[in-house]
Amino acid sequence: MEAEKTGKRFVGKVAIVTASTQGIGFAIAQRLGFEGASLVISSRKQKNVDEAVEKLRGKGIEVLGVVCHVSNSQHRKNLIEKTLQKYGRIDVIVSNAAANPSVDSILETKESILDKLWDINVKASILLLQDAVAHLQKGSSVVLISSITAFNPPAGMSMYGVTKTALLGLTKALAAEMAPNTRVNCVAPGFVPTHFAEFLTKSDEMRNSLVEKTLLNRLGKTEDMASATAFLASDDAAYITGETLVVAGGMPSRL
């Protein structure tokens, strides 16, 4: 049983995880739930929200599902309001929503695509926190989900990588602004074969070339990202803020 391997660091706490009905977001939500959090999960489609809620409840997790397209102002406000109506507090926010709608080089990327990348990958985190900040408890925690591509944006994902670089700076800036009551940290996942990253991992050749760049000789698992996020969100990381934790199997990132 997966839940038996976990601690109970989030008992009595309320956690919001965006884009959390599948992939890395779902794994993060599930981990926080196994550790006792009351969860609020969200994504763009009601069907996906309902299915994810059912799965989590089936594992004994207390969860509320809300449809939220993070670039929609009313959706973001509704997410915070529904959380407060049901649970009355917010202790953890994990901002996981991201889009990668193009494989064009930066200089060939259409303005509408640049706007979408900026809106979802960077601006939505800021605006969600603007709505939430007045309701965050003392000792609360924010985790932004960046990417290994933040450190060296690869061809075919270059503008996506640049938006993820922005999250590294945003983590530092918000950590200073939200201290001392709220810690802000960041997880930079390596390559994880999810639906979101399907185009990178569906061909054996591409997959093998990514595996070769790691030291641990494998791609990441969603659970790897969930355990790192849970650590940063928990009181085990009570003296850590403004940091980015790279979870990429030793793939090159920084010195």
Side-chain angles (χ1 to χ4, degrees):
M1 173 69 182
E2 298 156 282
E4 284 166 10
K5 295 184 201 163
T6 67
K8 290 287 176 199
R9 295 176 291 189
F10 297 98
V11 172
K13 296 195 170 179
V14 175
I16 296 174
V17 187
T18 64
S20 46
T21 58
Q22 55 191 14
I24 290 172
F26 181 81
I28 291 169
Q30 178 171 269
R31 176 61 185 258
L32 298 178
F34 279 156
E35 291 213 37
S38 296
L39 280 183
V40 182
I41 65 164
S42 70
S43 74
R44 291 174 299 170
K45 294 181 182 149
Q46 186 72 56
K47 177 175 176 286
N48 293 358
V49 170
D50 293 343
E51 285 171 5
V53 163
E54 199 176 321
K55 274 187 215 158
L56 293 166
R57 284 197 181 136
K59 296 178 184 205
I61 290 169
E62 167 61 42
V63 58
L64 169 69
V66 181
V67 170
C68 179
H69 197 314
V70 292
S71 61
N72 179 313
S73 156
Q74 202 44 57
H75 282 204
R76 288 190 306 268
K77 284 184 170 43
N78 185 50
L79 179 64
I80 301 301
E81 280 165 16
K82 287 262 167 69
T83 302
L84 294 168
Q85 277 165 18
K86 174 130 193 192
Y87 298 121
R89 59 187 287 145
I90 304 170
D91 299 277
V92 174
I93 295 179
V94 180
S95 186
N96 173 60
N100 186 23
S102 161
V103 294
D104 292 335
S105 67
I106 291 174
L107 297 180
E108 288 172 350
T109 302
K110 294 187 178 70
E111 186 174 358
S112 61
I113 299 288
L114 290 173
D115 287 343
K116 183 174 183 180
L117 280 160
W118 172 252
D119 280 352
I120 293 173
N121 296 2
V122 185
K123 203 167 83 171
S125 289
I126 298 169
L127 294 172
L128 181 65
L129 289 173
Q130 285 181 359
D131 289 338
V133 66
H135 310 288
L136 286 168
Q137 302 295 307
K138 196 172 191 320
S140 56
S141 175
V142 172
V143 183
L144 306 180
I145 307 298
S146 177
S147 165
I148 188 73
T149 62
F151 295 95
N152 195 6
M157 297 178 74
S158 46
M159 196 58 217
Y160 169 83
V162 170
T163 62
K164 293 299 194 175
T165 311
L167 293 182
L168 309 186
L170 184 61
T171 298
K172 291 277 186 206
L174 286 174
E177 205 168 298
M178 298 178 82
N181 290 339
T182 301
R183 296 180 299 103
V184 184
N185 291 293
C186 181
V187 171
F191 291 95
V192 183
T194 61
H195 176 65
F196 183 82
E198 199 172 31
F199 72 103
L200 284 169
T201 54
K202 65 184 172 196
S203 95
D204 286 348
E205 187 186 356
M206 177 79 93
R207 193 186 179 101
N208 292 339
S209 80
L210 290 171
V211 167
E212 280 165 17
K213 290 193 178 87
T214 71
L215 299 180
L216 299 183
N217 206 28
R218 68 172 176 88
L219 295 179
K221 296 186 293 201
T222 58
E223 294 82 5
D224 296 323
M225 309 310 141
S227 52
T229 304
F231 163 66
L232 286 175
S234 79
D235 290 341
D236 281 345
Y239 199 52
I240 301 174
T241 194
E243 295 298 334
T244 295
L245 179 55
V246 179
V247 188
M251 196 176 261
S253 56
R254 59 189 169 195
L255 189 62

